[in-house]
Amino acid sequence: MVSLKYSLTQDDYINYYLFMTWDAPGRKKGRLKYYLRQVLINSGVIAILFFTDIFRFNRTSLYIYVGVMLVITLMQIFNARLNVKKQAEKTAAAPGNQNFFLDLTIDISDAGVISKNEIAETKYRWPAFIKKEENNEYYFLFTSDVQALIFPKRVFKTGTDRQQFEKLLSQHLSFDAEVGHLIKE
């Protein structure tokens, strides 16, 4: 059994939100669609301006407008992740979401995962986890497409705790939860 005591920080939540909505490997297709949509829409506006000859008497205005549209397109592409991060910060700072940051005690065993804080206790049997993902800083055990238990890697005080945690995951998570999302996407 592995027992962890920690509190999520607002940065932990923001990183989770960014991962879930933007950075996750499974979101690559969505990111590409977003970028392509921005380029196509703005290219379409530029094409309409060229072919309708709206600026036929003042070509300088046309080139200025096209330049502005290109800058807007680049800003949309480069600011997309920043906008997602701003939404995450807004969500994390909302007074109604402060329960995210209560002190947690989490026990992970062969029976499952028990998460406790001062207002709730939740027991998850292993089949409750439909997907496991991780990055350099976190493990995420998803119970739905949008909800996960967040395990910051910094909370594992020893390498043994982390190895035991990973062993429990490998023993009890289904193959589909462990790697199925990589195959499907």
Side-chain angles (χ1 to χ4, degrees):
M1 181 160 95
V2 177
S3 291
L4 304 171
K5 293 181 189 298
Y6 63 97
S7 297
L8 293 175
T9 65
Q10 286 192 355
D11 283 340
D12 290 331
Y13 178 80
I14 290 165
N15 289 330
Y16 162 70
Y17 191 98
L18 278 169
F19 183 82
M20 183 188 70
T21 59
W22 192 259
D23 294 337
R27 300 288 183 200
K28 183 177 182 180
K29 194 177 196 180
R31 288 189 304 270
L32 292 174
K33 282 182 182 178
Y34 171 82
Y35 295 142
L36 184 61
R37 186 173 52 244
Q38 300 311 311
V39 169
L40 289 177
I41 289 170
N42 293 332
S43 296
V45 170
I46 291 170
I48 288 169
L49 294 175
F50 271 116
F51 293 117
T52 58
D53 216 18
I54 290 175
F55 293 101
R56 68 178 167 264
F57 298 114
N58 191 350
R59 286 284 182 203
T60 304
S61 296
L62 172 64
Y63 297 131
I64 290 171
Y65 189 80
V66 168
V68 168
M69 289 298 292
L70 290 174
V71 168
I72 289 171
T73 302
L74 290 173
M75 287 176 58
Q76 289 171 330
I77 289 171
F78 290 115
N79 285 329
R81 187 176 188 279
L82 182 62
N83 291 335
V84 172
K85 185 176 181 184
K86 285 180 183 176
Q87 181 59 44
E89 290 168 348
K90 184 178 174 182
T91 301
N97 293 330
Q98 295 312 299
N99 289 350
F100 291 150
F101 312 112
L102 297 174
D103 290 338
L104 287 172
T105 300
I106 297 187
D107 296 318
I108 304 112
S109 69
D110 289 325
V113 178
I114 298 173
S115 173
K116 301 175 200 171
N117 63 33
E118 64 189 58
I119 60 172
E121 180 176 329
T122 307
K123 181 178 181 179
Y124 300 93
R125 291 181 306 159
W126 288 108
F129 300 109
I130 63 167
K131 180 172 57 171
K132 175 201 133 207
E133 293 202 27
E134 73 176 281
N135 62 20
N136 293 336
E137 298 177 60
Y138 302 95
Y139 293 99
F140 305 108
L141 294 182
F142 284 85
T143 57
S144 72
D145 284 339
V146 296
Q147 188 174 2
L149 293 180
I150 304 166
F151 297 91
K153 290 183 178 179
R154 70 174 185 277
V155 304
F156 295 95
K157 301 299 181 203
T158 67
T160 306
D161 284 345
R162 189 165 166 182
Q163 288 173 342
Q164 194 174 5
F165 174 75
E166 289 176 351
K167 182 179 177 186
L168 285 165
L169 294 181
S170 67
Q171 287 175 338
H172 296 290
L173 287 179
S174 70
F175 177 77
D176 200 40
E178 190 74 52
V179 295
H181 61 284
L182 299 173
I183 296 167
K184 292 176 190 172
E185 297 166 0

